[in-house]
Amino acid sequence: LDAGVQPVAAGDRVLVVDDLVRSGETQALLLDIAERAGASVAGVAVLIAAGDEGLGRARRRVDAPVEALVRVD
């Protein structure tokens, strides 16, 4: 990314989207980026959730929907 470009700005509403969540570490980093930018999180969506840990971690962080298209144990 160009250092002069801000992909997320204060006041933006963002949807965090990822292909796979297991522990929730990637989603936590994405939520940190949104928070530092001053954006509000409209939701977290993942294609596949492996277990409940990652979804639970995201749910504890945001007051917005957190959903997965497919869940596997």
Side-chain angles (χ1 to χ4, degrees):
L1 291 175
D2 181 348
V5 175
Q6 295 264 335
V8 179
D12 285 352
R13 290 190 53 168
V14 297
L15 175 64
V16 173
V17 179
D18 203 355
D19 58 349
L20 174 70
V21 61
R22 185 177 318 266
S23 68
E25 290 183 28
T26 301
Q27 290 72 29
L29 292 171
L30 294 170
L31 293 170
D32 288 345
I33 291 168
E35 184 179 288
R36 282 194 303 261
S40 65
V41 176
V44 178
V46 297
L47 295 178
I48 302 167
D52 295 325
E53 180 183 354
L55 291 178
R57 188 172 178 181
R59 285 188 179 114
R60 289 188 295 276
R61 290 262 329 248
V62 299
D63 183 25
V66 177
E67 298 295 336
L69 185 61
V70 176
R71 294 179 190 202
V72 295
D73 291 327

